[in-house]
Amino acid sequence: MRYGKILLTAMALFLSLCLSGCLTLSVDEMYTLPRQSDEYNELQSAINETLKEGLQYASPVSGANQQPIQLADLTGDGLDEAIVFTKADGVKPLRAQIFARDGEGYTRLCSIDGDGSAFDRVEYVQLDGEPGLEIVLGRRIGNQVLQSVGAYALLDGQLTELMSANYTEFRITDLDGDDARDLFLIRFDAENTTAVAEVYRFFNGAMERSTEVPLSADASALRHITTGNLQEGRRAVFVASTSAEELVVTDVFTLDDGKLNVRRSDLDYGLFNCPVRGYSVYANDLDGDGLLELPNVVLLNPYSEEAADDKFYAIEWHSVAGGSPKYKLTTYHNHSSGWYLTMPKKLGSRFIVRRGDTVAGARGLEFYTDRAGRPGESVFTLYAFSGDNRGTLAAQDGRFALGAKNEVTYCAMLGDAAERLGVTQEELSTMFRFIRVNWDPGET
C-alpha cells in the first residue's frame, strides 16, 4: 500500500488498452505520459492546502515505509486512507496527517502530532483483531539515544492512542500466536550500560505491557535483531549484542502465557560466537527448514606452525527448539569476498584451511581433512578470477565454475579426498553460496 498505486494502476490500464488496439493514437500521443487520475489530483489538492500552513514533507528515515505519502486501510472498509508525513516549526513539529476520501475528494480527518527531529519508522499492522490496521509510529527525539513510539487506531474518524513508550529498537511480530501482532522493544541506558526488553500486546481491550526483562550483554554494543521460528507455531526474537569478553551473545526472547522469557546463547545453550576479523554471524535459517539456528564459532587447527597466525574459523549451526541445542550443519564463511560454504556432513568442522599457490593472479584457498590436528588429504581448492579471461581460466586445469559476482568468477578443483567424502562438482556447486546483504528493514 503505497502512494503512487493509483498512478501505477492508471498507467497499466493505459498500456493494456494500447496493446489491445482499443485506442488509436498518434506517435506524439503515444509518447505522452497518461494524465494523472482524478483521485490522485484530489488527494494532491487536499495535501497542498495543508502545506500552505507552513508544513513540509518529512519522510520516515528508516524501515520499509519511507515515502512522504503512504496508503493504508485504517478502518477496514476496503478503502485506503492517505497518511502524509510533514514537519513544521514550533511546538510538536512532527505531524502525520490522515486523509480520507469523502466521495467528492479528500478530507483531512486528524493528525498525530509529536515532538522530535524526525520520524524514525512507521508500520501498519493488525494489533487489536478488529477491522483496519493500526499505526505504529516511532519518532527520533533530537540527538538522544532513546526514541519515542506510539500505537494508534482510527475509530469513527478519531485517533485513539493505544500505547506509548521510549525505545532504542523495536520489532513487530506475533509472539503469542494469536494472529495479532505484538510490539517488542528494547530500551537501554547508555550511561549505565544496562538494557531491558518488553512486549506490548492487545489483551482484554487494551495494549498490555509485559514485565521488563534484562538483556544478558552490554546493550551499548547492540549488534543485530531478527525474528523467526523456534519450532512450528512458536516465534521468538533473537537479539545479538557484544559481551564484555568480546563475544557476541544472542538473547532468545519468547512469550509464554503473557510472560516474556529469555534464554542466553552461551549460558543456556553453550554456544559461543566471536567476531571473526571484524565480522560476526547471527541467527539464521541456513538449512531452509523454516527454523532459525544459532551459530557456534570454532577456531580451526592451523596448517602448520608457520601458519599459526593465519586463523580460520568454522561455524557450527544449532537449532534450539525444545530448549536444548541440536547440531544441524557447519559452514565456512569468507566475509571479505562475500561467499560461504556449507560443509559436507562427513567433514563437519574437522577440516583445515590454508592459502595455497597463486594461479594466473588468483591465490587458491585449499581445504584439507583434519587428521589429529594435522592436514590430511586435499578435499578441494577454491579460486577467484577477475579480468576479461576469467571464464576461460575458471575452466582450465581441472577447474570448474561455481558462480560469478561483481565481475569475479569463482571456481574450484577437487582433491584426492573429494570422492571418498561424496564431494562432486555438482555437490560443491550446491555447497557454494553468496552471502546476501540483508536489506530487510526489520534488521539493524
Side-chain angles (χ1 to χ4, degrees), residues 4 13 117 170 427:
L13 177 60
S117 59
F170 76 79
E427 179 68 17

Side-chain angles (χ1 to χ4, degrees), residues 280-418:
S280 294
V281 289
Y282 309 105
N284 210 329
D285 181 13
L286 265 294
D287 60 357
D289 65 353
L291 307 179
L292 292 189
E293 289 86 38
L294 289 176
N296 187 54
V297 177
V298 178
L299 177 63
L300 298 175
N301 287 317
Y303 180 82
S304 63
E305 293 183 2
E306 293 77 13
D309 292 336
D310 201 3
K311 300 183 184 302
F312 296 94
Y313 299 84
I315 303 171
E316 299 176 342
W317 296 88
H318 297 74
S319 69
V320 291
S324 59
K326 177 183 177 183
Y327 171 78
K328 302 294 286 295
L329 75 161
T330 298
T331 62
Y332 173 83
H333 278 62
N334 188 316
H335 289 277
S336 60
S337 297
W339 56 264
Y340 72 96
L341 290 168
T342 58
M343 304 305 294
K345 288 188 176 180
K346 290 183 179 180
L347 202 58
S349 54
R350 299 181 302 277
F351 62 94
I352 289 175
V353 181
R354 80 152 181 162
R355 303 186 191 281
D357 297 332
T358 299
V359 176
R363 192 174 186 182
L365 194 64
E366 300 175 346
F367 290 75
Y368 295 85
T369 59
D370 186 336
R371 184 176 296 170
R374 305 298 298 172
E377 297 176 284
S378 170
V379 185
F380 50 80
T381 303
L382 266 62
Y383 299 91
F385 290 109
S386 58
D388 295 336
N389 62 340
R390 57 186 179 274
T392 301
L393 292 172
Q396 290 180 348
D397 301 326
R399 295 185 292 269
F400 54 94
L402 298 174
K405 185 178 182 181
N406 298 331
E407 298 185 348
V408 176
T409 296
Y410 296 90
C411 64
M413 182 171 60
L414 298 179
D416 296 336

Side-chain angles (χ1 to χ4, degrees), residues 201-254:
R201 65 183 185 122
F202 199 83
F203 186 73
N204 289 336
M207 291 295 288
E208 180 184 74
R209 176 191 177 200
S210 73
T211 56
E212 295 181 351
V213 176
L215 266 68
S216 59
D218 184 355
S220 64
L222 193 65
R223 301 292 292 266
H224 188 267
I225 305 174
T226 190
T227 60
N229 292 326
L230 283 179
Q231 57 196 52
E232 186 176 356
R234 184 171 174 79
R235 299 284 289 178
V237 181
F238 297 75
V239 180
S241 50
T242 305
S243 72
E245 295 80 18
E246 292 301 315
L247 295 175
V248 177
V249 178
T250 301
D251 290 307
V252 182
F253 290 92
T254 57

